[in-house]
Amino acid sequence: MIPLRFLLAAALFAGAAHAAPLKTDLAKSSVSATFKQMNVPVEAKFKTFSAQIDYDAAKPEASKATVDIGTASMDLGDPEYNREVAKKEWFNTAQFPKATFVSTSIKPAGADKLNVAGKLTIKGKTADVAFPLTVKAAGKQQVFEGQLPIKRLAFNIGEGEWKDTSMVADEVVIKFRVTAGQ
């Protein structure tokens, strides 16, 4: 017979346990930024990023997420443009090699929808952000998709002559799709 204290300990442990952090499937995931240059939409993909997601569909408010994006990995489709955005006036990748999002709140917002709030840090500047997110099952994986609109100048992206928003708009939309599973 199992002693009662072991049964109680097992029950407490099971009740305190939550979903294990999910493993990101980078081949099925993407992060990009869309903005307008001279009023023409441009999409740049980030080739390097990681996401740590601890998601429990039964208790979404207990979930957490952290996303790190390698700023030097921004790909505008042209090596010269890629070198330009790495410079001090733009991302200053030598001093600030990554942008980071850390969730502070994840709340249910209807079927397959969550409202996420957190801290976004780019180029040493941190701001509170919030955005809607969809989450859908894809086999044994979860797919998290969303868009986060930001103002680039709030993060000093585009200094000096590049503060002029007639060439590059202030509005940027960070789009992401993260596929992850156990």
Side-chain angles (χ1 to χ4, degrees):
M1 185 156 166
I2 300 174
L4 181 59
R5 65 185 171 136
F6 288 121
L7 289 174
L8 288 173
L12 283 173
F13 177 74
H18 54 83
L22 301 177
K23 183 177 180 190
T24 303
D25 185 340
L26 292 175
K28 295 179 182 175
S29 301
S30 62
V31 177
S32 64
T34 302
F35 57 92
K36 289 186 178 179
Q37 182 172 352
M38 295 175 51
N39 215 25
V40 175
V42 175
E43 183 173 17
K45 295 186 185 305
F46 289 93
K47 293 181 176 181
T48 306
F49 61 92
S50 65
Q52 295 78 44
I53 301 170
D54 190 347
Y55 177 69
D56 183 347
K59 297 179 194 173
E61 52 282 331
S63 300
K64 296 178 183 176
T66 300
V67 178
D68 291 319
I69 300 170
T71 55
S73 76
M74 185 180 218
D75 185 6
L76 288 156
D78 180 281
E80 186 177 328
Y81 293 156
N82 295 347
R83 283 190 296 276
E84 183 65 32
V85 296
K87 292 180 179 177
K88 181 183 182 295
E89 295 80 12
W90 292 100
F91 280 111
N92 192 1
T93 61
Q95 187 174 350
F96 304 104
K98 68 179 180 177
T100 301
F101 170 78
V102 178
S103 68
T104 55
S105 167
I106 299 176
K107 296 180 181 174
D112 300 330
K113 296 185 186 309
L114 300 169
N115 285 328
V116 179
K119 305 252 180 219
L120 178 64
T121 303
I122 304 173
K123 204 173 174 183
K125 303 283 183 194
T126 301
D128 291 319
V129 297
F131 55 93
L133 176 77
T134 61
V135 58
K136 295 180 182 171
K140 293 183 178 186
Q141 296 180 314
Q142 300 287 327
V143 178
F144 302 88
E145 285 189 279
Q147 296 185 15
L148 171 59
I150 65 167
K151 302 281 188 180
R152 69 177 176 87
L153 294 177
F155 296 96
N156 289 334
I157 300 171
E159 296 181 45
E161 68 180 300
W162 295 109
K163 282 187 177 183
D164 178 3
T165 58
S166 66
M167 285 290 288
V168 179
D170 194 19
E171 295 78 22
V172 176
V173 177
I174 301 168
K175 298 178 183 180
F176 58 91
R177 174 187 173 95
V178 176
T179 301
Q182 295 295 335

